[in-house]
Amino acid sequence: MPVKEQLASLSAAASADASTAASADASAAASADAPAPRRSDATRTAILTAARERFAADGYERATIRAIAKDARIDPSMVMRYYGSKEGLFAAVLNVDLRLPDPSGLDPNDVGRTLVSHFLHLWEENEVLTAILRVGVTNEAGAERMQRIFKDQLAPVAQRACPDPEQAPARAALCASQLLGFALARYILRFEPAVALHREEIVAWLGPTVQRYLTAPHP
């Protein structure tokens, strides 16, 4: 092959190599910019799930980081890495959002049925609240946390619905007693008649009671 043609061939090959390298560099840069898989989220979820079950079964004092880590199939050091201590993990377990409807959008004449239906969904579609209830009836810190959750999140609904806003804390407490009492009977103690009730029956029975707690005149 003439020298001129050889030089042209080498130049073309070099250009192709440069183009390939640039493409590879761009691909690497894009990979670096892309978000990494959120393995930490999965780890946190596994830890919290195991902790809820362990705290509910053993109580706060007997539950151990080692047992929780074993249930989550991770090293105990990972639990400490994410939550710092058993106290920190317990606080995270008890951090629950009831996801109550916006009080401003509730029908005051149907707020009782709405709340009962909402809580039934929480109890039956997500075991977190049931686990927290188990912890709450066996541990003082758990009970205090449950009190704060219902006080802070249910009180605004009661304040919106009740005829006298000053009565909202007492009315919210009465609603909580009804909702938590039924949940204890149905999901924790598993009283057979309570377990056998269908959702529609529960709403029909409890809705008017919760409605009365929220909207009836002060006795």
Side-chain angles (χ1 to χ4, degrees), residues 8 39 47 77 106 149:
R39 288 183 295 178
I47 293 171
S77 64
L106 290 174
I149 289 171

Side-chain angles (χ1 to χ4, degrees), residues 18 49-50 60 66 92 97 100 117 124 127 142-143 157 193 200 207 217-218:
T49 299
Y60 177 80
R66 185 174 297 277
D97 182 0
L100 293 176
S117 180
E124 298 187 359
E127 295 182 356
V157 176
E200 295 77 9
H218 191 281

Side-chain angles (χ1 to χ4, degrees), residues 197-211:
L197 288 171
H198 296 293
R199 281 195 186 191
E200 295 77 9
E201 294 178 284
I202 298 168
V203 173
W205 278 108
L206 298 189
T209 300
V210 173
Q211 182 74 30

Side-chain angles (χ1 to χ4, degrees), residues 11 15 30 76 117 128 172 205:
S11 176
S15 298
S117 180
V128 171
W205 278 108

Side-chain angles (χ1 to χ4, degrees), residues 77-88:
S77 64
M78 296 297 291
V79 180
M80 303 302 290
R81 173 184 173 185
Y82 287 117
Y83 297 101
S85 64
K86 187 165 81 167
E87 291 81 3

Side-chain angles (χ1 to χ4, degrees), residues 74-200:
I74 60 173
D75 190 271
S77 64
M78 296 297 291
V79 180
M80 303 302 290
R81 173 184 173 185
Y82 287 117
Y83 297 101
S85 64
K86 187 165 81 167
E87 291 81 3
L89 177 58
F90 190 62
V93 164
L94 297 179
N95 186 22
V96 176
D97 182 0
L98 299 178
R99 304 193 304 278
L100 293 176
D102 184 354
S104 64
L106 290 174
D107 179 357
N109 298 315
D110 198 39
V111 64
R113 293 174 58 87
T114 300
L115 284 179
V116 172
S117 180
H118 178 80
F119 273 94
L120 282 174
H121 178 77
L122 286 182
W123 298 121
E124 298 187 359
E125 303 300 328
N126 190 332
E127 295 182 356
V128 171
L129 200 56
T130 304
I132 299 305
L133 181 58
R134 288 195 183 98
V135 173
V137 298
T138 59
N139 178 269
E140 183 178 353
E144 292 175 354
R145 180 58 183 162
M146 286 291 284
Q147 292 167 14
R148 288 197 299 272
I149 289 171
F150 274 79
K151 177 183 177 181
D152 295 343
Q153 300 184 40
L154 190 57
V157 176
Q159 189 169 25
R160 174 81 178 185
C162 73
D164 184 351
E166 291 186 359
Q167 299 169 3
R171 291 174 182 264
L174 289 169
C175 290
S177 70
Q178 190 71 44
L179 295 166
L180 290 173
F182 180 79
L184 184 65
R186 181 176 172 91
Y187 303 111
I188 306 299
L189 301 178
R190 298 192 63 79
F191 290 170
E192 183 55 36
V195 173
L197 288 171
H198 296 293
R199 281 195 186 191
E200 295 77 9

